[in-house]
Amino acid sequence: VERSFDRDPAHIRVHEHLGSEDPLIRALACDLLREIAEGEPQQAYLDDLLHLLLCRTLRLHSNARHSAPTARHALAPYRLRRALDFIETSLGKPIGVIDIAGASGVSRFHFSRAFQRATGKAPYAYLLYRRIAAAKALLINSDRPLAEIGAACGFASPSQFSRMFKREVGASPGRFRDAQ
């Protein structure tokens, strides 16, 4: 499996198989390979990337007709509340989009689209947003070690915590804490 992902994402050519070069498909494929190559992929992020890649491919290369979003694509308020509650109580656990969709009681594919419509964020982006917010609160209000805070907020390793925190906040967890 590792040999399948040892390519430099800059050299990926998806048009050879699909018949055209789509920048979004290329970007999603590169992100997917990069996340796997880094060795600490977040399952929810991989789920979202695969879902987006599949949807884009089907949209471009199928004969399905696209219709405007309707109310039937919305997530019922009680289902959204279930999903949000599940996320809040599971921040420290390794959860994926499938888990969140299951907690809300809808299929993963319907859930992803409806959740984004309801919150303005994809499920993984919202989960990451909440994990970073929880980490910020712990960094400000406790003296716990950084690795312990990262684990408590659901990050797989200290390096993943540091990388994701810096990407989202613009500073490492340690610098953020020092600035407070």
Side-chain angles (χ1 to χ4, degrees):
V1 172
E2 288 180 12
R3 276 190 236 147
S4 302
F5 301 108
D6 65 355
R7 297 183 182 166
D8 179 2
H11 296 98
I12 294 172
R13 300 288 178 253
V14 294
H15 69 280
E16 296 166 3
H17 300 288
L18 297 175
S20 65
E21 178 76 23
D22 179 67
L24 182 56
I25 289 177
R26 185 178 190 288
L28 290 168
C30 289
D31 284 351
L32 184 63
L33 289 175
R34 193 172 8 267
E35 188 68 21
I36 291 170
E38 287 179 359
E40 300 170 350
Q42 286 248 348
Q43 189 60 47
Y45 186 51
L46 292 179
D47 289 348
D48 275 354
L49 284 175
L50 287 170
H51 179 210
L52 290 170
L53 186 61
L54 176 64
C55 289
R56 181 65 175 186
T57 303
L58 289 174
R59 175 169 282 152
L60 293 177
H61 301 285
S62 75
N63 61 358
R65 298 286 174 226
H66 308 294
S67 59
T70 62
R72 79 185 214 304
H73 293 118
L75 194 59
Y78 76 95
R79 292 185 188 279
L80 177 61
R81 176 56 35 213
R82 282 184 191 170
L84 296 175
D85 288 345
F86 179 78
I87 289 170
E88 291 304 315
T89 59
S90 304
L91 286 177
K93 301 173 188 166
I95 60 171
V97 176
I98 291 172
D99 302 313
I100 304 168
S104 71
V106 297
S107 74
R108 183 183 126 24
F109 293 105
H110 171 71
F111 173 76
S112 293
R113 180 178 51 245
F115 185 88
Q116 184 159 359
R117 192 166 287 120
T119 64
K121 292 183 182 281
Y124 173 75
Y126 184 84
L127 176 62
L128 180 60
Y129 164 77
R130 291 302 307 136
R131 284 181 169 164
I132 295 294
K136 284 179 175 179
L138 288 172
L139 287 167
I140 292 169
N141 299 315
S142 78
D143 291 331
R144 292 167 67 178
L146 299 180
E148 190 178 307
I149 290 173
C153 294
F155 294 96
S157 68
S159 65
Q160 183 190 42
F161 171 50
S162 182
R163 186 177 69 248
M164 300 301 272
F165 191 92
K166 187 171 185 175
R167 186 178 83 187
E168 296 298 314
V169 177
S172 69
R175 286 187 187 231
F176 177 83
R177 177 181 264 172
D178 292 342
Q180 304 306 312

